[in-house]
Amino acid sequence: MTASIIDGKAIALAIREELGLEVSDFQERTGVTPHLAAILVGDDPASAIYVRNKQRACEKAAIQSTMHRLEADTTQQQLLGLVEQLNTDPLVHGILCQLPLPDQIQEQAILDAIAPAKDVDAFHPESVGLIVQGRPRFLPCTPHGIQQLLLRSGIETSGAHVVILGRSEIVGKPMALLMVQKQEGANATVTICHSRTRDLAAITTSADILIAAIGRPGFVTAGMVKPGAVVIDVGINRVDDRLVGDVDFEPVSEIAAAITPVPGGVGPMTIAMLLKNTLAAARELSGDLSN
Ligand code: GUN
C-alpha cells in the first residue's frame, strides 16, 4: 500500500482564501483592520523564518502585522514592558511572542502577561483552562491545524485511537485535549507517549491516527505503524540543511493509509489557524457579533 499524501499547503491555502474573504467583509462592516503584533527576541534563524512566514500570510489575508524585534540580551522586564504596551494598544488584536526565548527570560512569565483576549497562540493559562473545560476562546494553532487537516481530509476521529508522541505545552498536551473533546473532529480515545513510555511500539502500532511531535528526525519507523494508519508528522528538524520530520517518511508511507509531508504538511496549517485566531480576536475586541 502507498499512503495518500495529505497536502497541508493546499488545505491551508484554501482556508486562508476563505479567511481573506471574511477579513474583508469584517473590515468593510466595521472599519477595523485585524492586527497581529509579533515579537521576536534574539537572532535564532529558524524563529526569524517562522515569524516572517506568519507576517507574509497576514499580509496576503489583509491582516495588518507588526514585528517587534528585540536584541538577544533583552531583559525580562523590557519584554514585559513591550507586552504591556501591546496589551493596552486598542489597535492591536493579537499578540504572538515567538518561542523559544533566550535563557534570561522566563517563558511562562511572558505568556502569563499576554492579555487573554489577545492570546492568539492560546498559551495563557486562562486560554488553556478554557480548552480543558471544553469552552475554548482560542484554539492552539498547531493542534487546531492538525484537527482541520483530519476533518478536511475526511478522516474519522470519533472512536479512533489517537496516539500522540510528545507532551509539550505547544503541541502534545493541547493536541490530546482537542482530540478528546465531545465534538466533531474529536471524540477520540487518546494516548500520550513520551520519553519515559514503556514498550512504545506496542502502543504506536495500535494507533489509528499517530501524531509525532518530539523533534527527533526519522524517529517513527515503519515497524511502529499499524498498516492503514494515518500518520501526522509535526517535526521540523534541520539535517544537513534539509528539513525532515519525526517520521521516516518513505518506509512509513508504504504502510500508512495517509501521511503528512515535511515541509508542506502541518506547518502551513499552523499559520492558517493563527490568522483565524487573529480575526476572531479582532471581532471579539471590536464587539462584532455577526457570525
Ligand atoms: N515556537 C514554535 N511553535 C510556536 C508557536 O506556535 N507559537 C509561538 N509563539 N512560538 C512557537
Side-chain angles (χ1 to χ4, degrees):
M1 194 196 311
T2 302
S4 65
I5 308 293
I6 300 174
D7 188 347
K9 202 170 161 186
I11 296 172
L13 196 60
I15 293 174
R16 280 166 49 184
E17 277 169 7
E18 291 163 23
L19 276 170
L21 297 176
E22 285 182 50
V23 169
S24 27
D25 173 64
F26 167 76
Q27 219 272 343
E28 274 169 30
R29 277 186 298 102
T30 62
V32 176
T33 303
H35 180 179
L36 174 73
I39 306 173
L40 176 62
V41 186
D43 34 37
D44 176 51
S47 287
I49 292 171
Y50 297 151
V51 174
R52 188 164 5 105
N53 288 342
K54 290 171 184 179
Q55 286 204 289
R56 280 211 191 120
C58 280
E59 271 166 39
K60 286 187 186 150
I63 292 175
Q64 187 186 345
S65 77
T66 44
M67 158 93 107
H68 299 265
R69 254 203 125 121
L70 303 181
E71 301 290 329
D73 63 358
T74 298
T75 65
Q76 183 163 313
Q77 276 313 313
Q78 285 169 326
L79 182 51
L80 284 171
L82 173 60
V83 168
E84 196 44 41
Q85 181 196 318
L86 297 170
N87 280 346
T88 52
D89 184 339
L91 296 178
V92 169
H93 307 108
I95 303 171
L96 172 146
C97 183
Q98 186 67 27
L99 305 178
L101 291 168
D103 289 346
Q104 75 275 14
I105 298 173
Q106 276 183 289
E107 261 170 26
Q108 198 60 57
I110 304 305
L111 302 179
D112 288 358
I114 291 174
K118 299 187 179 185
D119 182 32
V120 288
D121 259 331
F123 294 160
H124 188 282
E126 184 175 316
S127 304
V128 178
L130 290 169
I131 296 163
V132 171
Q133 294 184 342
R135 49 183 190 130
R137 179 185 287 133
F138 299 113
L139 291 173
C141 301
T142 300
H144 190 204
I146 292 169
Q147 188 178 40
Q148 286 297 315
L149 270 186
L150 296 171
L151 269 169
R152 290 181 185 238
S153 307
I155 293 160
E156 180 63 85
T157 55
S158 180
H161 186 203
V162 172
V163 173
I164 299 163
L165 301 184
R167 53 179 157 179
S168 72
E169 306 297 332
I170 294 182
V171 184
K173 275 193 214 171
M175 187 77 235
L177 286 170
L178 289 203
M179 296 315 295
V180 84
Q181 304 282 3
K182 207 184 243 184
Q183 62 165 57
E184 197 201 359
N187 285 313
T189 302
V190 178
T191 304
I192 303 183
C193 298
H194 48 76
S195 52
R196 304 294 174 92
T197 297
R198 293 198 188 122
D199 202 358
L200 187 62
I203 300 170
T204 58
T205 49
S206 82
D208 302 306
I209 301 172
L210 181 60
I211 302 176
I214 42 175
R216 290 173 62 176
F219 181 86
V220 176
T221 55
M224 295 168 70
V225 177
K226 178 169 80 172
V230 172
V231 179
I232 305 290
D233 192 348
V234 190
I236 304 181
N237 309 290
R238 203 165 289 269
V239 177
D240 302 332
D241 263 3
R242 243 172 15 105
L243 285 187
V244 297
D246 290 347
V247 176
D248 194 8
F249 185 85
E250 297 296 338
V252 170
S253 62
E254 289 299 312
I255 292 174
I259 188 166
T260 61
V262 176
V266 173
M269 293 298 291
T270 297
I271 297 181
M273 295 303 113
L274 174 68
L275 303 186
K276 193 175 171 67
N277 282 349
T278 305
L279 173 60
R283 276 212 167 113
E284 194 65 32
L285 286 165
S286 56
D288 180 44
L289 300 175
S290 76
N291 292 322

